[in-house]
Amino acid sequence: MAPQTRRRMAVPNFLIEREMDSEESSSSEDEAEEQELEAQDDEEEHEEERQEEEAVETKKREKKPITITLKKVCKVCKRSGHQAGFQGATYIDCPMKPCFLCKMPGHTTMSCPHRVATEHGVLPASTRNNRHSVDYVFKRQIRPNVPAIKPAFEIPDQVNCGVIRYHSRRVTCLEFHPTNNNILLSGDKKGQLGVWDFNKVSEKTVYGNVHTCILNNMRFSSVNNGTVYAASSDGTVSCTDIETGISESMMDLNPDGWHGPSSWRMLYGLDINSEKGLVLAGDNFGLLYMLDTRTRGQTGGSILIHKKGSKVVGLHCNPVQPELLLSCGNDHFARIWDIRKLEPGSSLCDLAHRRVVNSAYFSPQTGCKILTTAQDNRIRVWDSIFGSLESPSREIVHSHDFNRHLTAFRAEWDPKDPSESLVVIGRYISENYSGVALHPIDFIDISTGQLVAEVIDPNITTISPVNKLHPREDVLASGSSRSLFIWRPKDEPEFMQQKEERKIITCEKAEKNSRKKYESDGSDDEVFISNVKKLKGNGQKSKPELKQKGRKL
């Protein structure tokens, strides 16, 4: 019997991989459907949000329309019933604010009692009557040549000559030559130093390589009349020969350049102690530096003489006792120091003020009086440095408070006045002169507080914050914007003979680009030129006769 063979059954091949692919594809389709549903939900939510935003925007657009009324409101306080600002040539301030002149509430500048009681805003404070033996001894020993009867004041009240746009930026300081009567030095905001012979109006020189920033103060050397020292906001003290323009830096507080405003040092106050041969300079951190004029370098370290971080804006050595130093700063104090023992906090006396002190000077001949100018519209006078200095002998209300873009106002002594009572200072608030707003230059008698004279020129509509009286002649130099002017008495015989030869010239060296860049500093000068052209069109002559580039206008 043949062996039986077992029959093998054919097992079908199952494509497992294919079946897995089908399962995965089905799951991915489900996920895709879910994602599509989620996307649709998100789109619906975004659309709802969009609709809500559109509804909010439409509601905003549907606000009540702006109603424009012709009701006049004050530009200062935004209230109705009054107005503030210029009304023609007269400025009217807001009655809701303190008076701009005396800083007291309850009245406006036009109705200020300090303005209407006396002439144009000067009123003497009560004089203290606390004389003692020291005052009389001082008068006998130091003031023997002061006349008992006050001489008549000679006021330079008419423009004799001038240069329009002398500087490229506004004038910051002026100084007469110590021996040459017709040489005037000027500094500007750009750091330039100008040398002008005003007897030969066209002979002028401007040195632009002395400083790179504001030239704040300058003094002539006590041993060399051809050398001038200057302090600048670039942190340097320069020694310049005015004949050649060659300048040497005596000190540089920023040798590493600019590293931010917190570390940049600027120099403001400057004076010379001729007895010790020192140049004194004050910076914007309240420090005093002493430089030796022989070695042209710093001697000793810096000394804190004002509040840390405050500017020392003014320094002045006593003309009779050079060891006494008077300083002032924006910490609201003027201080008297003894140079022989200078230490922080060792001041002999602190003269308190209510606001920033712009300047402080000893009297030019005896050195016994003190004159300060502060931003609270006050000129303060101390009659004797040997008496009580707790409060000033006199406070004179005067308009010299300003905001920006001006050189600080400083009351300057008349160095020729033997009675030491005449000072000059520019005025900030304008006055209406025949419909024209002009800013006079005031001459004030500080012994009484009365206004001696106010000098104006109808063509000069700008403010004149920088003023300097000549030490030997009846001449006033004023810096207004970028221009310089020389004033003389109109009834002076020499002036009457030569006034036809005097002239005012215009500098046009500046390029168009620089004019556009410094348009704010030059716009005032354009007003002067336009006024002169109007006079020409009307067939009138201005006083003095105006000329430009040697030709009559």
Side-chain angles (χ1 to χ4, degrees):
M1 188 171 172
Q4 295 180 354
T5 58
R6 183 173 290 179
R7 228 172 162 181
R8 294 182 180 177
M9 296 180 64
V11 179
N13 295 325
F14 294 97
L15 299 176
I16 299 174
E17 294 180 358
R18 188 173 182 181
E19 289 178 356
M20 292 177 65
D21 289 342
S22 64
E23 290 176 1
E24 286 182 1
S25 62
S26 62
S27 62
S28 62
E29 288 176 0
D30 294 338
E31 290 177 0
E33 289 178 0
E34 291 177 358
Q35 290 177 358
E36 288 178 0
L37 292 173
E38 290 178 358
Q40 289 178 359
D41 294 339
D42 292 340
E43 287 180 0
E44 289 177 357
E45 290 178 0
H46 286 307
E47 191 173 351
E48 290 178 358
E49 291 178 357
R50 218 178 282 118
Q51 290 176 356
E52 290 178 358
E53 290 177 357
E54 289 178 357
V56 171
E57 289 181 0
T58 53
K59 286 181 180 179
K60 288 181 179 180
R61 291 173 185 172
E62 291 176 357
K63 280 186 175 180
K64 295 181 180 180
I66 299 173
T67 57
I68 300 175
T69 62
L70 298 177
K71 192 175 183 180
K72 295 181 180 180
V73 296
C74 176
K75 296 179 181 179
V76 179
C77 65
K78 307 302 180 185
R79 298 181 183 178
S80 59
H82 63 275
Q83 290 183 343
F86 275 98
Q87 298 280 336
T90 304
Y91 181 80
I92 300 175
D93 52 2
C94 178
M96 299 299 173
K97 301 289 182 180
C99 171
F100 190 80
L101 180 59
C102 68
K103 309 298 181 183
M104 300 297 291
H107 58 270
T108 64
T109 303
M110 298 302 295
S111 61
C112 177
H114 295 276
R115 185 178 186 277
V116 300
T118 57
E119 303 171 4
H120 298 288
V122 287
L123 182 69
S126 57
T127 305
R128 293 182 292 106
N129 188 13
N130 54 357
R131 298 287 183 183
H132 48 78
S133 58
V134 177
D135 291 332
Y136 295 106
V137 172
F138 175 76
K139 282 189 174 183
R140 287 187 62 186
Q141 293 182 353
I142 300 183
R143 301 186 61 185
N145 298 324
V146 177
I149 300 176
K150 188 183 298 184
F153 297 124
E154 290 291 338
I155 305 298
D157 52 0
Q158 187 165 349
V159 174
N160 177 233
C161 58
V163 181
I164 311 299
R165 291 198 295 265
Y166 184 93
H167 285 278
S168 60
R169 303 300 296 273
R170 60 177 167 85
V171 178
T172 55
C173 57
L174 297 173
E175 196 74 21
F176 282 102
H177 196 277
T179 57
N180 196 333
N181 289 339
N182 55 316
I183 297 296
L184 175 68
L185 268 65
S186 58
D188 71 359
K189 186 180 176 183
K190 200 176 180 181
Q192 298 177 340
L193 176 65
V195 182
W196 181 35
D197 185 348
F198 52 83
N199 274 357
K200 302 173 184 177
V201 183
S202 58
E203 292 189 11
K204 54 186 179 52
T205 306
V206 178
Y207 299 118
N209 59 342
V210 180
H211 291 285
T212 59
C213 198
I214 306 174
L215 199 159
N216 291 306
N217 268 299
M218 57 183 170
R219 294 288 186 273
F220 274 94
S221 171
S222 57
V223 296
N224 184 2
N225 295 332
T227 302
V228 64
Y229 299 101
S232 169
S233 291
D234 60 8
T236 63
V237 174
S238 65
C239 175
T240 306
D241 188 332
I242 63 174
E243 292 291 335
T244 62
I246 299 174
S247 180
E248 177 186 355
S249 179
M250 296 181 63
M251 180 178 65
D252 188 358
L253 298 180
N254 306 296
D256 300 327
W258 175 263
H259 293 287
S262 60
S263 61
W264 184 262
R265 293 184 179 273
M266 298 179 283
L267 292 171
Y268 290 92
L270 180 80
D271 201 14
I272 295 178
N273 188 310
S274 57
E275 187 179 68
K276 297 182 179 296
L278 294 176
V279 176
L280 308 174
D283 72 355
N284 59 326
F285 285 83
L287 298 175
L288 174 71
Y289 302 88
M290 292 185 287
L291 310 174
D292 194 334
T293 57
R294 294 163 295 183
T295 62
R296 301 288 175 89
Q298 184 175 352
T299 171
S302 58
I303 304 168
L304 185 68
I305 61 172
H306 280 268
K307 183 180 178 182
K308 188 176 181 181
S310 63
K311 298 177 184 177
V312 182
V313 297
L315 295 171
H316 190 221
C317 293
N318 193 294
V320 178
Q321 304 178 61
E323 64 273 7
L324 292 181
L325 173 67
L326 180 61
S327 67
C328 62
N330 63 354
D331 60 350
H332 302 187
F333 277 95
R335 293 186 167 94
I336 304 176
W337 305 84
D338 190 340
I339 295 180
R340 297 168 295 186
K341 46 181 181 180
L342 267 176
E343 294 178 358
S346 64
S347 60
L348 301 178
C349 186
D350 297 337
L351 310 178
H353 294 69
R354 285 192 286 270
R355 287 188 63 186
V356 174
V357 187
N358 294 335
S359 65
Y361 300 110
F362 289 112
S363 53
Q365 297 192 19
T366 65
C368 70
K369 294 183 179 181
I370 293 177
L371 173 71
T372 66
T373 310
Q375 282 292 93
D376 59 351
N377 278 345
R378 297 293 191 278
I379 298 173
R380 291 175 174 84
V381 184
W382 283 262
D383 286 334
S384 175
I385 60 175
F386 297 96
S388 175
L389 298 177
E390 294 180 1
S391 61
S393 305
R394 236 159 279 104
E395 286 188 4
I396 303 171
V397 180
H398 181 267
S399 172
H400 51 258
D401 182 19
F402 66 98
N403 294 320
R404 294 183 299 173
H405 310 303
L406 279 178
T407 303
F409 291 82
R410 302 182 182 98
E412 299 269 355
W413 293 98
D414 182 1
K416 306 179 299 299
D417 178 25
S419 63
E420 296 182 330
S421 58
L422 185 65
V423 301
V424 62
I425 184 173
R427 192 189 305 176
Y428 180 69
I429 296 180
S430 63
E431 297 292 338
N432 188 349
Y433 295 92
S434 302
V436 181
L438 301 178
H439 302 265
I441 300 172
D442 294 330
F443 288 81
I444 301 174
D445 184 353
I446 60 166
S447 62
T448 61
Q450 295 297 319
L451 185 68
V452 176
E454 52 181 10
V455 298
I456 58 170
D457 188 282
N459 295 317
I460 305 176
T461 58
T462 54
I463 304 172
S464 301
V466 187
N467 300 279
K468 195 80 173 181
L469 284 165
H470 201 285
R472 294 169 298 278
E473 296 184 351
D474 296 325
V475 172
L476 168 68
S478 63
S480 182
S481 186
R482 299 186 293 166
S483 305
L484 298 178
F485 299 97
I486 296 295
W487 304 69
R488 293 181 184 271
K490 65 175 64 175
D491 54 353
E492 184 179 337
E494 181 184 357
F495 176 71
M496 296 297 290
Q497 293 174 5
Q498 299 180 2
K499 69 176 182 179
E500 295 297 330
E501 301 175 5
R502 302 304 184 189
K503 59 182 178 179
I504 294 179
I505 65 172
T506 304
C507 297
E508 295 184 351
K509 296 186 296 183
E511 298 178 358
K512 293 182 179 179
N513 293 336
S514 62
R515 287 183 183 178
K516 291 180 180 178
K517 184 177 180 181
Y518 306 130
E519 186 176 359
S520 61
D521 284 344
S523 59
D524 295 336
D525 301 322
E526 300 294 342
V527 174
F528 184 94
I529 296 172
S530 63
N531 290 340
V532 174
K533 290 182 178 179
K534 287 180 182 177
L535 290 173
K536 177 190 174 184
N538 295 334
Q540 299 176 354
K541 290 184 179 180
S542 63
K543 296 180 180 180
E545 187 175 5
L546 303 178
K547 300 181 181 179
Q548 181 180 15
K549 290 186 175 180
R551 297 180 181 178
K552 295 183 180 179
L553 290 178

